[in-house]
Amino acid sequence: MALREIRKYEDEILRKKSKEVKEVDDRIRLLIDDMAETMYNADGVGLAAPQVGVLRRVIVVDAGSGLIALVNPEIVMVDGEQIGVEGCLSIPDVAGEVARPQIVTVRGLDRNGELIEITGEDLLARALSHEIDHLNGVLFIDKVIKYVNMEDEDGIKE
Ligand code: ZN
């Protein structure tokens, strides 16, 4: 495993749409492992493949209940709304309030290529929504309702 460089805001790769993964092979598993290591090293709760320069539909999330890695994730159900402060590992020192679903169900493939479904509430729902946005070239700053001073908040980084 290895740390990968986290691409920052100015990098246009963050604005591109990621491609579907055709097969979950060793290369994808290595990508997942590297992304997880990179996320934990940066003290983040989520990371999407384009943030490490790979335009493939892969995300990792750990909202406090363990690592979730999803390939080709698709939101299949949303419910409710929450407004909370979030940040992004690709946009350091910026935080803002964003509306996200309160509950999200995501379907995708796990590291073995098996179909799985994850339902998340609160922070996990926020993190899953944020990371899937990355796969479509969408950044949280596109959705900010109000910017906040990072020093006043324990904003999460994704
Ligand atoms: Zn992000």
Side-chain angles (χ1 to χ4, degrees):
M1 291 204 284
L3 292 176
R4 301 207 186 186
E5 184 200 343
I6 298 177
R7 304 299 181 91
K8 297 300 191 295
Y9 177 59
E10 302 75 19
D11 195 322
E12 64 185 27
I13 199 164
L14 294 172
R15 289 303 191 176
K16 293 189 172 153
K17 197 166 160 35
S18 293
K19 291 193 180 71
E20 195 177 334
V21 173
K22 298 282 182 227
E23 190 192 349
V24 183
D25 55 13
D26 285 346
R27 207 182 147 100
I28 294 296
R29 280 185 279 274
L30 178 63
L31 173 64
I32 288 170
D33 291 342
D34 286 355
M35 284 171 60
E37 192 178 349
T38 303
M39 173 185 75
Y40 288 125
N41 182 66
D43 203 18
V45 303
L47 196 68
Q51 290 182 278
V52 294
V54 179
L55 285 172
R56 289 284 179 267
R57 302 187 80 82
V58 177
I59 63 170
V60 293
V61 169
D62 188 340
S65 53
L67 180 68
I68 295 168
L70 283 168
V71 176
N72 301 336
E74 269 187 71
I75 292 175
V76 293
M77 193 280 295
V78 297
D79 194 21
E81 189 187 67
Q82 55 170 321
I83 293 173
V85 175
E86 64 187 69
C88 181
L89 293 173
S90 294
I91 312 172
D93 306 323
V94 175
E97 289 181 358
V98 180
R100 299 285 187 187
Q102 178 62 25
I103 303 174
V104 170
T105 299
V106 179
R107 194 176 292 158
L109 303 175
D110 69 8
R111 61 181 296 120
N112 300 311
E114 305 285 338
L115 190 66
I116 55 167
E117 212 170 82
I118 303 275
T119 296
E121 279 187 68
D122 301 324
L123 178 58
L124 182 54
R126 174 175 299 281
L128 289 166
S129 305
H130 178 116
E131 300 318 326
I132 290 170
D133 273 354
H134 271 300
L135 303 181
N136 297 318
V138 174
L139 300 175
F140 88 99
I141 51 173
D142 303 340
K143 298 184 167 181
V144 163
I145 298 163
K146 191 178 91 182
Y147 285 100
V148 298
N149 188 338
M150 199 83 162
E151 283 162 19
D152 300 339
E153 303 278 346
D154 312 318
I156 57 167
K157 296 181 286 182
E158 306 171 276

